[in-house]
Amino acid sequence: LSRPGDAGLDAMPCRVILLIVLLGLGAAAAQEPTADGDTNGDGVVDAAEERAQQQLHDSLVQAAALMEHGSATAKEAATEEIARMAIITTIDQPFHPVTYRNAAIKAGIVELLVALLSPTADATAAAQRNALAALEAIATDDPTTDLDNDHARYVCDAGAVQHVVRLLSSPQEQLQVQSAACAAILAESVPCQTALSAAKAEVPLVQLGTFGNDVAKLHALAALEQMALNNPLARERIAKGGGLEIDRDTPRYPEITRDYPRSPESRL
């Protein structure tokens, strides 16, 4: 590989390294991981587990370098694997969901993903789609507990909301769908819900819920339902935009709305 500062990092070695390091090391290191890094469930973070944690950190740092300095195709590969690992750790091994998310935050991954969403970023539509998927997965709370891990709030504090709202009106369907999915997850967090409403996300969400494809409509509806909770201003905007009609007319397809974590490859 080239040095991290080189702009021409090649995508194929990037993808191979990320697959081997991110997926391979975790699968070998973990059995029943916990958030504190205890991957074998014995209550002690031993040397092997510490090495696994360090390898995870190192792989994320490398992915960060690719997102910041890599070629367009390298950025696509890096964001795809970051998203894939965030999704996989939500539903399966190798790392506890909170462990991976905390490591991603510590490595500066969230800020780099947000930066790729900027209209001035040197990023393809595919890289932006992957970045949105990664932010959605990182913002998703640990499914094994009812506690709020504050990852969604961190994503919003990093500046994601303005870009997510803008991309709801993207001319590219893949970005509409993924930004709506990300908005739906962020809207589950009260601070993020407030930020989304401040950015008037209700307007493009209603538009997407009216004119988007079926998957985009369902994610938009999920976001609007969350934003309407205990928020009179949001309810007023949704009603004015015709959101109540969307709620009545949009069919429910559970297999394509909330099935995302069980089938990450279908949207990456």
Side-chain angles (χ1 to χ4, degrees), residues 136-151:
E136 176 196 353
I138 290 170
T140 302
D141 274 337
D142 172 12
T144 65
T145 176
D146 292 331
L147 297 176
D148 186 346
N149 304 122
D150 282 332
H151 295 124

Side-chain angles (χ1 to χ4, degrees), residues 67 79 82 108-123 127-128 130-136 138 151-164 166-167 182 186:
M67 286 192 289
T79 52
I82 290 294
I109 294 294
V110 171
E111 289 80 2
L112 290 170
L113 291 169
V114 170
L116 289 177
L117 300 180
S118 170
T120 60
D122 180 22
Q128 290 189 324
N130 295 340
L132 286 164
L135 290 170
E136 176 196 353
I138 290 170
H151 295 124
R153 183 169 187 167
Y154 190 93
V155 168
C156 291
D157 287 347
V161 169
Q162 62 175 323
H163 301 306
V164 170
R166 176 178 52 80
L167 290 170
C182 190
L186 295 179

Side-chain angles (χ1 to χ4, degrees), residues 21-212:
V21 176
L22 285 178
L23 298 176
L25 76 89
Q31 294 177 9
E32 292 293 335
T34 59
D36 60 3
D38 174 21
T39 57
N40 62 14
D42 62 3
V44 178
V45 180
D46 58 28
E49 291 163 345
E50 286 181 356
R51 285 195 299 274
Q53 290 292 308
Q54 186 60 50
Q55 288 177 301
L56 173 61
H57 173 75
D58 291 345
S59 69
L60 287 169
V61 168
Q62 184 176 43
L66 300 181
M67 286 192 289
E68 189 169 10
H69 303 293
S71 65
T73 49
K75 289 175 181 176
E76 287 182 16
T79 52
E80 181 177 355
E81 295 312 321
I82 290 294
R84 196 182 307 279
M85 270 301 283
I87 295 164
I88 288 173
T89 55
T90 300
I91 58 173
D92 199 358
Q93 310 298 337
F95 290 98
H96 188 281
V98 176
T99 299
Y100 183 79
R101 286 154 176 70
N102 287 345
I105 288 171
K106 184 178 179 181
I109 294 294
V110 171
E111 289 80 2
L112 290 170
L113 291 169
V114 170
L116 289 177
L117 300 180
S118 170
T120 60
D122 180 22
T124 64
Q128 290 189 324
R129 178 201 63 202
N130 295 340
L132 286 164
L135 290 170
E136 176 196 353
I138 290 170
T140 302
D141 274 337
D142 172 12
T144 65
T145 176
D146 292 331
L147 297 176
D148 186 346
N149 304 122
D150 282 332
H151 295 124
R153 183 169 187 167
Y154 190 93
V155 168
C156 291
D157 287 347
V161 169
Q162 62 175 323
H163 301 306
V164 170
V165 173
R166 176 178 52 80
L167 290 170
L168 289 168
S169 302
S170 170
Q172 301 204 39
E173 194 172 71
Q174 61 178 336
L175 292 179
Q176 293 175 6
V177 170
Q178 194 58 66
S179 58
C182 190
I185 288 295
L186 295 179
E188 294 178 5
S189 162
V190 173
C192 293
Q193 187 182 119
T194 300
L196 285 164
S197 191
K200 298 182 179 179
E202 301 94 340
V203 176
L205 283 169
V206 168
Q207 288 294 303
L208 196 56
T210 304
F211 302 109

